[in-house]
Amino acid sequence: MTTSMKITIASGKGGTGKSMVAANLAWAISQSDRVTLVDCDVEEPNLHLFFPPDDPESTDVQVLIPAFDNSRCTLCGDCAGFCAFGALVVAKDRVLFFPEHCHSCGGCALVCPADAITEIQRPIGTVTTRDLSAHLSLVTGTLNEGEVLGVKVIQEAKRRAEKPGWMICDASPGTSCPVVETLHGSDFCLLITESTPFGLHDLELAYSVTSHLDVPVGVVINRSDGKDEEVRRFCNERGIPVLATIPFDRWIASVQGSGDLISRVDPTWKERFIALGGACRSSVGGT
Amino acid sequence: MKICIPSRGPDIQDLVDERFGRAPYFIIHDTESKMTEAHVNSAAGAMGGVGPKAAQFLLNQGVDSLVTERVGGNALEALKAGGIMVLLYEEKGSTVADAITAFLKGNLKEQ
Ligand code: SF4
Ligand code: SF4
């Protein structure tokens, strides 16, 4: 029977090795189960770099934006007065529209008393699907430069990734809206941290988001120098399981540096990542 | 003629705020009637689009010139489309009264 399990990989800040864990976990599990890996770090997607280069097909992610019919517009100002995002300014002779501020709420078209606004499509990013093996696909969301609606691209990437099997989402670093959007619908979240005081602070922030959203979590300590007491104490006090510890190690760094995966190169690491997947599944009561 | 100066406070002795869209107050001075009014910038703390919102406010108030240290691209476009002249005033630590005086002397450069 195929497992159905959605995991988000998150961390309170960048550079903790979140993508490395996501890619290794996905690759290891895909040796025996169907996995879709989703790159939700849409401002800087990087998971494809762990896999051989290819030439995948992308499709546009579109949002609706207003278009103005100047012959009908009476310059009444209602649309700009309504827009909470400052995307519209009604000047003396026309309506100015700043697309990068528009959140596609559609409100301006509704409030316009002169029927001068229609909604049209505008591309803000892309979603790319790569079939990396019979059991592993990678869906990458990419937000176009200068755009703000990353959450729309994340929604669309997750929608396209909806297949039986495991879904592993790599969130963007930090604790902002895109992370919340990525976590939405997840059964479990793996929080990646480092064993430094800063790492602990960021872990606390990330944990406050997941507990707010009621998503159960486990912690992976990456680049551990062996002095993990603080992180472990924090986890113990809150009943958060520490599911894996990855040591600070030259060999690991060099494998990653060459764009490879430790689980692909070393069977021991493959087993460890498979076990990590199993631990995530049992944490949410699966078998 | 109505001029607007982004300000840290509601009084002409308050300091000029260098951020147009994020300034807590807009002081509007009428050079003919010599009347001065302070308006709270209700969009100062908004998440985004503060420049265009501030520009819309000035357009609605019938302001003719904005005296400011900095203005963003979108706000500038909106102000120009609305026929508002943007004059640069870069004296650090000045009060609104200083800015009005500088405007009246007529030696501010247009952006
Ligand atoms: S759709 Fe919404 S956000 Fe976009 S311009 Fe209209 S009111 Fe503003
Ligand atoms: S609400 Fe409609 S009529 Fe009024 S200014 Fe906007 S587009 Fe023009």
PDB file of all heavy atoms in Angstrom, chain A residues 107-133:
ATOM      1  N   GLY A 107     -11.194  43.315  -5.733  1.00  0.00           N
ATOM      2  CA  GLY A 107     -12.097  44.279  -5.107  1.00  0.00           C
ATOM      3  C   GLY A 107     -12.354  45.516  -5.943  1.00  0.00           C
ATOM      4  O   GLY A 107     -13.482  46.010  -6.000  1.00  0.00           O
ATOM      5  N   CYS A 108     -11.316  46.003  -6.635  1.00  0.00           N
ATOM      6  CA  CYS A 108     -11.491  47.239  -7.408  1.00  0.00           C
ATOM      7  C   CYS A 108     -12.548  47.046  -8.490  1.00  0.00           C
ATOM      8  O   CYS A 108     -13.381  47.930  -8.725  1.00  0.00           O
ATOM      9  CB  CYS A 108     -10.163  47.707  -7.997  1.00  0.00           C
ATOM     10  SG  CYS A 108      -9.261  46.434  -8.877  1.00  0.00           S
ATOM     11  N   ALA A 109     -12.532  45.861  -9.131  1.00  0.00           N
ATOM     12  CA  ALA A 109     -13.520  45.595 -10.185  1.00  0.00           C
ATOM     13  C   ALA A 109     -14.934  45.562  -9.593  1.00  0.00           C
ATOM     14  O   ALA A 109     -15.891  45.997 -10.225  1.00  0.00           O
ATOM     15  CB  ALA A 109     -13.199  44.279 -10.887  1.00  0.00           C
ATOM     16  N   LEU A 110     -15.038  45.081  -8.355  1.00  0.00           N
ATOM     17  CA  LEU A 110     -16.363  45.010  -7.719  1.00  0.00           C
ATOM     18  C   LEU A 110     -16.893  46.391  -7.346  1.00  0.00           C
ATOM     19  O   LEU A 110     -18.084  46.658  -7.480  1.00  0.00           O
ATOM     20  CB  LEU A 110     -16.301  44.144  -6.454  1.00  0.00           C
ATOM     21  CG  LEU A 110     -16.068  42.648  -6.654  1.00  0.00           C
ATOM     22  CD1 LEU A 110     -15.949  41.965  -5.301  1.00  0.00           C
ATOM     23  CD2 LEU A 110     -17.216  42.052  -7.461  1.00  0.00           C
ATOM     24  N   VAL A 111     -16.018  47.251  -6.851  1.00  0.00           N
ATOM     25  CA  VAL A 111     -16.522  48.546  -6.367  1.00  0.00           C
ATOM     26  C   VAL A 111     -16.689  49.587  -7.477  1.00  0.00           C
ATOM     27  O   VAL A 111     -17.373  50.591  -7.273  1.00  0.00           O
ATOM     28  CB  VAL A 111     -15.631  49.156  -5.246  1.00  0.00           C
ATOM     29  CG1 VAL A 111     -15.566  48.230  -4.050  1.00  0.00           C
ATOM     30  CG2 VAL A 111     -14.242  49.507  -5.757  1.00  0.00           C
ATOM     31  N   CYS A 112     -16.088  49.366  -8.638  1.00  0.00           N
ATOM     32  CA  CYS A 112     -16.167  50.370  -9.707  1.00  0.00           C
ATOM     33  C   CYS A 112     -17.622  50.597 -10.124  1.00  0.00           C
ATOM     34  O   CYS A 112     -18.280  49.687 -10.598  1.00  0.00           O
ATOM     35  CB  CYS A 112     -15.346  49.935 -10.914  1.00  0.00           C
ATOM     36  SG  CYS A 112     -15.521  51.083 -12.293  1.00  0.00           S
ATOM     37  N   PRO A 113     -18.142  51.824  -9.956  1.00  0.00           N
ATOM     38  CA  PRO A 113     -19.547  52.074 -10.275  1.00  0.00           C
ATOM     39  C   PRO A 113     -19.773  52.211 -11.782  1.00  0.00           C
ATOM     40  O   PRO A 113     -20.923  52.199 -12.234  1.00  0.00           O
ATOM     41  CB  PRO A 113     -19.832  53.395  -9.563  1.00  0.00           C
ATOM     42  CG  PRO A 113     -18.513  54.073  -9.464  1.00  0.00           C
ATOM     43  CD  PRO A 113     -17.474  53.004  -9.384  1.00  0.00           C
ATOM     44  N   ALA A 114     -18.687  52.349 -12.569  1.00  0.00           N
ATOM     45  CA  ALA A 114     -18.854  52.637 -13.997  1.00  0.00           C
ATOM     46  C   ALA A 114     -18.559  51.415 -14.859  1.00  0.00           C
ATOM     47  O   ALA A 114     -18.538  51.518 -16.084  1.00  0.00           O
ATOM     48  CB  ALA A 114     -17.929  53.792 -14.383  1.00  0.00           C
ATOM     49  N   ASP A 115     -18.322  50.260 -14.212  1.00  0.00           N
ATOM     50  CA  ASP A 115     -18.027  49.050 -14.973  1.00  0.00           C
ATOM     51  C   ASP A 115     -16.815  49.236 -15.879  1.00  0.00           C
ATOM     52  O   ASP A 115     -16.771  48.725 -16.988  1.00  0.00           O
ATOM     53  CB  ASP A 115     -19.242  48.697 -15.847  1.00  0.00           C
ATOM     54  CG  ASP A 115     -19.718  47.290 -15.539  1.00  0.00           C
ATOM     55  OD1 ASP A 115     -18.973  46.576 -14.836  1.00  0.00           O
ATOM     56  OD2 ASP A 115     -20.816  46.925 -15.992  1.00  0.00           O
ATOM     57  N   ALA A 116     -15.834  49.965 -15.380  1.00  0.00           N
ATOM     58  CA  ALA A 116     -14.678  50.285 -16.214  1.00  0.00           C
ATOM     59  C   ALA A 116     -13.525  49.306 -16.000  1.00  0.00           C
ATOM     60  O   ALA A 116     -12.495  49.410 -16.654  1.00  0.00           O
ATOM     61  CB  ALA A 116     -14.205  51.707 -15.908  1.00  0.00           C
ATOM     62  N   ILE A 117     -13.690  48.361 -15.047  1.00  0.00           N
ATOM     63  CA  ILE A 117     -12.582  47.454 -14.729  1.00  0.00           C
ATOM     64  C   ILE A 117     -12.940  46.023 -15.088  1.00  0.00           C
ATOM     65  O   ILE A 117     -13.979  45.512 -14.673  1.00  0.00           O
ATOM     66  CB  ILE A 117     -12.218  47.543 -13.231  1.00  0.00           C
ATOM     67  CG1 ILE A 117     -11.911  48.997 -12.834  1.00  0.00           C
ATOM     68  CG2 ILE A 117     -11.033  46.639 -12.909  1.00  0.00           C
ATOM     69  CD1 ILE A 117     -11.560  49.189 -11.371  1.00  0.00           C
ATOM     70  N   THR A 118     -12.078  45.384 -15.859  1.00  0.00           N
ATOM     71  CA  THR A 118     -12.198  43.946 -16.084  1.00  0.00           C
ATOM     72  C   THR A 118     -10.930  43.303 -15.547  1.00  0.00           C
ATOM     73  O   THR A 118      -9.926  43.982 -15.336  1.00  0.00           O
ATOM     74  CB  THR A 118     -12.322  43.616 -17.580  1.00  0.00           C
ATOM     75  OG1 THR A 118     -11.298  44.306 -18.279  1.00  0.00           O
ATOM     76  CG2 THR A 118     -13.680  44.004 -18.129  1.00  0.00           C
ATOM     77  N   GLU A 119     -10.980  41.983 -15.337  1.00  0.00           N
ATOM     78  CA  GLU A 119      -9.787  41.319 -14.821  1.00  0.00           C
ATOM     79  C   GLU A 119      -9.103  40.522 -15.922  1.00  0.00           C
ATOM     80  O   GLU A 119      -9.758  39.823 -16.682  1.00  0.00           O
ATOM     81  CB  GLU A 119     -10.165  40.402 -13.656  1.00  0.00           C
ATOM     82  CG  GLU A 119     -10.585  41.211 -12.445  1.00  0.00           C
ATOM     83  CD  GLU A 119     -10.805  40.315 -11.241  1.00  0.00           C
ATOM     84  OE1 GLU A 119     -11.887  39.704 -11.155  1.00  0.00           O
ATOM     85  OE2 GLU A 119      -9.899  40.219 -10.417  1.00  0.00           O
ATOM     86  N   ILE A 120      -7.778  40.650 -15.986  1.00  0.00           N
ATOM     87  CA  ILE A 120      -7.014  39.915 -16.994  1.00  0.00           C
ATOM     88  C   ILE A 120      -5.887  39.139 -16.310  1.00  0.00           C
ATOM     89  O   ILE A 120      -5.549  39.403 -15.157  1.00  0.00           O
ATOM     90  CB  ILE A 120      -6.417  40.859 -18.072  1.00  0.00           C
ATOM     91  CG1 ILE A 120      -5.520  41.926 -17.417  1.00  0.00           C
ATOM     92  CG2 ILE A 120      -7.521  41.528 -18.885  1.00  0.00           C
ATOM     93  CD1 ILE A 120      -4.673  42.695 -18.406  1.00  0.00           C
ATOM     94  N   GLN A 121      -5.311  38.167 -17.015  1.00  0.00           N
ATOM     95  CA  GLN A 121      -4.251  37.308 -16.443  1.00  0.00           C
ATOM     96  C   GLN A 121      -2.885  37.968 -16.582  1.00  0.00           C
ATOM     97  O   GLN A 121      -2.594  38.594 -17.589  1.00  0.00           O
ATOM     98  CB  GLN A 121      -4.189  35.991 -17.225  1.00  0.00           C
ATOM     99  CG  GLN A 121      -5.483  35.230 -17.262  1.00  0.00           C
ATOM    100  CD  GLN A 121      -5.518  34.168 -16.177  1.00  0.00           C
ATOM    101  OE1 GLN A 121      -4.633  34.089 -15.330  1.00  0.00           O
ATOM    102  NE2 GLN A 121      -6.557  33.347 -16.201  1.00  0.00           N
ATOM    103  N   ARG A 122      -2.063  37.763 -15.569  1.00  0.00           N
ATOM    104  CA  ARG A 122      -0.680  38.230 -15.667  1.00  0.00           C
ATOM    105  C   ARG A 122       0.233  37.162 -15.070  1.00  0.00           C
ATOM    106  O   ARG A 122      -0.004  36.694 -13.949  1.00  0.00           O
ATOM    107  CB  ARG A 122      -0.508  39.523 -14.868  1.00  0.00           C
ATOM    108  CG  ARG A 122       0.868  40.146 -15.002  1.00  0.00           C
ATOM    109  CD  ARG A 122       0.908  41.502 -14.299  1.00  0.00           C
ATOM    110  NE  ARG A 122       1.049  41.358 -12.853  1.00  0.00           N
ATOM    111  CZ  ARG A 122       2.220  41.346 -12.224  1.00  0.00           C
ATOM    112  NH1 ARG A 122       3.341  41.482 -12.898  1.00  0.00           N
ATOM    113  NH2 ARG A 122       2.281  41.217 -10.917  1.00  0.00           N
ATOM    114  N   PRO A 123       1.286  36.721 -15.787  1.00  0.00           N
ATOM    115  CA  PRO A 123       2.179  35.696 -15.228  1.00  0.00           C
ATOM    116  C   PRO A 123       3.099  36.281 -14.156  1.00  0.00           C
ATOM    117  O   PRO A 123       3.650  37.364 -14.336  1.00  0.00           O
ATOM    118  CB  PRO A 123       3.000  35.226 -16.439  1.00  0.00           C
ATOM    119  CG  PRO A 123       2.886  36.308 -17.447  1.00  0.00           C
ATOM    120  CD  PRO A 123       1.651  37.098 -17.157  1.00  0.00           C
ATOM    121  N   ILE A 124       3.239  35.585 -13.026  1.00  0.00           N
ATOM    122  CA  ILE A 124       4.145  36.066 -11.969  1.00  0.00           C
ATOM    123  C   ILE A 124       5.228  35.049 -11.631  1.00  0.00           C
ATOM    124  O   ILE A 124       6.134  35.331 -10.861  1.00  0.00           O
ATOM    125  CB  ILE A 124       3.386  36.391 -10.662  1.00  0.00           C
ATOM    126  CG1 ILE A 124       2.598  35.170 -10.173  1.00  0.00           C
ATOM    127  CG2 ILE A 124       2.478  37.583 -10.824  1.00  0.00           C
ATOM    128  CD1 ILE A 124       2.323  35.225  -8.693  1.00  0.00           C
ATOM    129  N   GLY A 125       5.118  33.841 -12.195  1.00  0.00           N
ATOM    130  CA  GLY A 125       6.123  32.826 -11.897  1.00  0.00           C
ATOM    131  C   GLY A 125       5.843  31.573 -12.695  1.00  0.00           C
ATOM    132  O   GLY A 125       4.984  31.570 -13.586  1.00  0.00           O
ATOM    133  N   THR A 126       6.596  30.526 -12.391  1.00  0.00           N
ATOM    134  CA  THR A 126       6.430  29.270 -13.120  1.00  0.00           C
ATOM    135  C   THR A 126       6.429  28.092 -12.155  1.00  0.00           C
ATOM    136  O   THR A 126       6.925  28.195 -11.040  1.00  0.00           O
ATOM    137  CB  THR A 126       7.585  29.046 -14.122  1.00  0.00           C
ATOM    138  OG1 THR A 126       8.814  29.098 -13.405  1.00  0.00           O
ATOM    139  CG2 THR A 126       7.587  30.070 -15.237  1.00  0.00           C
ATOM    140  N   VAL A 127       5.852  26.989 -12.616  1.00  0.00           N
ATOM    141  CA  VAL A 127       5.974  25.716 -11.910  1.00  0.00           C
ATOM    142  C   VAL A 127       6.539  24.700 -12.896  1.00  0.00           C
ATOM    143  O   VAL A 127       6.067  24.599 -14.025  1.00  0.00           O
ATOM    144  CB  VAL A 127       4.622  25.230 -11.355  1.00  0.00           C
ATOM    145  CG1 VAL A 127       4.753  23.818 -10.799  1.00  0.00           C
ATOM    146  CG2 VAL A 127       4.145  26.166 -10.258  1.00  0.00           C
ATOM    147  N   THR A 128       7.583  24.006 -12.468  1.00  0.00           N
ATOM    148  CA  THR A 128       8.286  23.058 -13.321  1.00  0.00           C
ATOM    149  C   THR A 128       8.204  21.669 -12.703  1.00  0.00           C
ATOM    150  O   THR A 128       8.421  21.535 -11.501  1.00  0.00           O
ATOM    151  CB  THR A 128       9.775  23.464 -13.398  1.00  0.00           C
ATOM    152  OG1 THR A 128       9.836  24.815 -13.805  1.00  0.00           O
ATOM    153  CG2 THR A 128      10.544  22.606 -14.375  1.00  0.00           C
ATOM    154  N   THR A 129       7.881  20.662 -13.494  1.00  0.00           N
ATOM    155  CA  THR A 129       7.854  19.295 -12.975  1.00  0.00           C
ATOM    156  C   THR A 129       8.944  18.466 -13.655  1.00  0.00           C
ATOM    157  O   THR A 129       9.054  18.468 -14.874  1.00  0.00           O
ATOM    158  CB  THR A 129       6.486  18.641 -13.223  1.00  0.00           C
ATOM    159  OG1 THR A 129       5.485  19.487 -12.659  1.00  0.00           O
ATOM    160  CG2 THR A 129       6.402  17.268 -12.578  1.00  0.00           C
ATOM    161  N   ARG A 130       9.757  17.794 -12.835  1.00  0.00           N
ATOM    162  CA  ARG A 130      10.788  16.913 -13.373  1.00  0.00           C
ATOM    163  C   ARG A 130      10.539  15.505 -12.844  1.00  0.00           C
ATOM    164  O   ARG A 130      10.394  15.332 -11.629  1.00  0.00           O
ATOM    165  CB  ARG A 130      12.187  17.346 -12.903  1.00  0.00           C
ATOM    166  CG  ARG A 130      12.658  18.694 -13.396  1.00  0.00           C
ATOM    167  CD  ARG A 130      13.949  19.051 -12.666  1.00  0.00           C
ATOM    168  NE  ARG A 130      14.595  20.235 -13.235  1.00  0.00           N
ATOM    169  CZ  ARG A 130      14.360  21.469 -12.812  1.00  0.00           C
ATOM    170  NH1 ARG A 130      13.500  21.697 -11.832  1.00  0.00           N
ATOM    171  NH2 ARG A 130      15.013  22.486 -13.356  1.00  0.00           N
ATOM    172  N   ASP A 131      10.527  14.506 -13.747  1.00  0.00           N
ATOM    173  CA  ASP A 131      10.450  13.124 -13.283  1.00  0.00           C
ATOM    174  C   ASP A 131      11.869  12.595 -13.179  1.00  0.00           C
ATOM    175  O   ASP A 131      12.511  12.309 -14.183  1.00  0.00           O
ATOM    176  CB  ASP A 131       9.587  12.294 -14.235  1.00  0.00           C
ATOM    177  CG  ASP A 131       8.132  12.701 -14.100  1.00  0.00           C
ATOM    178  OD1 ASP A 131       7.670  12.864 -12.951  1.00  0.00           O
ATOM    179  OD2 ASP A 131       7.462  12.885 -15.137  1.00  0.00           O
ATOM    180  N   LEU A 132      12.358  12.509 -11.943  1.00  0.00           N
ATOM    181  CA  LEU A 132      13.768  12.177 -11.741  1.00  0.00           C
ATOM    182  C   LEU A 132      13.997  10.674 -11.799  1.00  0.00           C
ATOM    183  O   LEU A 132      15.078  10.212 -12.128  1.00  0.00           O
ATOM    184  CB  LEU A 132      14.249  12.733 -10.394  1.00  0.00           C
ATOM    185  CG  LEU A 132      14.113  14.255 -10.237  1.00  0.00           C
ATOM    186  CD1 LEU A 132      14.371  14.670  -8.803  1.00  0.00           C
ATOM    187  CD2 LEU A 132      15.075  14.975 -11.175  1.00  0.00           C
ATOM    188  N   SER A 133      12.990   9.898 -11.440  1.00  0.00           N
ATOM    189  CA  SER A 133      13.054   8.444 -11.576  1.00  0.00           C
ATOM    190  C   SER A 133      11.615   7.964 -11.577  1.00  0.00           C
ATOM    191  O   SER A 133      10.686   8.757 -11.467  1.00  0.00           O
ATOM    192  CB  SER A 133      13.828   7.817 -10.410  1.00  0.00           C
ATOM    193  OG  SER A 133      13.015   7.836  -9.238  1.00  0.00           O
TER     194      SER A 133
END
